[in-house]
Amino acid sequence: MLLDNQAQADLAAAITEQEKRTDAELVTVLASQADDYRYITTLWAALLSLLVPAALLFIPHWLTSLEALLLQWGVLIVLAVLFRFKPIQFRLVPRALQRQRAASLARTAFLQQELHHTRDDTGLLIFVSEAEHYVEILADQGIARHVDDAQWQAIVDAFVARVKAGQVAEGFQQCVAACGDKLAEHVPASGEKNELPNHLIIL
């Protein structure tokens, strides 16, 4: 678990406090990984296993055709398993694809958590995909008309730095506080409401 029970409770309390200052509904979502990228790592393993026959042409050997084929299959299986380890996996998966998958999951989470159905269109999602070091803040139109995406970027950048340092809980706390300040300025509280859950959603 990326955040223990105490860290999750502290985060929920922080969201509750910030929502007293604004009409916005804050929802936090944490994914350990946006995709398993199995097809990418398997493709790499398959491509590298194709080099086995070529390598055997230049290396003295006494293998039959069947033994050479079994060796090639063995290399494929070993590499496919090896490339599943995250330190290796994320060196093989293009960064652009990682960001695409994480961004797609963020938008799916926005819809699943019904942030687009709040009374005044004031839903705000703080999304983190830990493995990809990806952070995004998505705001519904009731907030977006007052605060454009560029204004969230400094908050996102600070959070990404925390995630890269392994400080996900601290990053969430810092982000919620910074978002609360901006929301209190542009979408101040006009009444008491709590339409969406304050606890961390873990995917």
Side-chain angles (χ1 to χ4, degrees):
M1 184 179 293
L2 297 175
L3 270 69
D4 60 25
N5 291 337
Q6 185 58 56
Q8 293 184 44
D10 290 344
L11 179 58
I15 293 171
T16 299
E17 285 303 308
Q18 293 301 329
E19 287 187 346
K20 293 176 181 178
R21 308 167 60 202
T22 175
D23 278 344
E25 287 287 333
L26 280 73
V27 172
T28 52
V29 172
L30 174 62
S32 60
Q33 191 167 323
D35 195 330
D36 63 12
Y37 305 107
R38 185 171 301 173
Y39 60 101
I40 297 292
T41 55
T42 301
L43 177 61
W44 271 107
L47 290 174
L48 291 175
S49 71
L50 292 176
L51 298 177
V52 171
L56 291 176
L57 294 176
F58 300 97
I59 300 174
H61 63 88
W62 298 270
L63 300 178
T64 66
S65 297
L66 177 59
E67 290 171 337
L69 180 60
L70 291 174
L71 175 62
Q72 185 177 23
W73 287 354
V75 170
L76 170 61
I77 293 170
V78 169
L79 291 179
V81 172
L82 181 64
F83 291 167
R84 295 289 294 154
F85 289 98
K86 285 187 180 181
I88 300 175
Q89 180 187 62
F90 281 89
R91 292 182 179 274
L92 299 176
V93 179
R95 181 59 184 162
L97 180 60
Q98 294 180 38
R99 293 184 60 84
Q100 180 185 20
R101 289 291 184 269
S104 177
L105 185 58
R107 280 147 186 79
T108 299
F110 188 93
L111 297 176
Q112 287 179 339
Q113 299 306 317
E114 300 189 340
L115 281 148
H116 58 307
H117 285 159
T118 59
R119 187 175 62 206
D120 298 314
D121 299 325
T122 53
L124 183 84
L125 174 69
I126 301 172
F127 174 86
V128 178
S129 188
E130 194 271 340
E132 288 84 1
H133 297 158
Y134 183 88
V135 176
E136 187 170 8
I137 297 173
L138 294 175
D140 202 3
Q141 57 186 352
I143 297 173
R145 70 169 62 102
H146 301 290
V147 186
D148 60 38
D149 291 342
Q151 295 189 53
W152 301 115
Q153 193 57 50
I155 300 174
V156 168
D157 291 343
F159 201 165
V160 169
R162 289 281 196 173
V163 173
K164 288 182 177 179
Q167 300 171 343
V168 178
E170 295 85 346
F172 263 122
Q173 288 283 349
Q174 184 181 54
C175 182
V176 167
C179 288
D181 289 342
K182 194 166 292 293
L183 292 168
E185 177 184 355
H186 296 283
V187 193
S190 60
E192 187 175 337
K193 64 174 184 175
N194 189 26
E195 300 177 64
L196 298 174
N198 293 345
H199 63 83
L200 177 68
I201 309 297
I202 299 179
L203 301 182

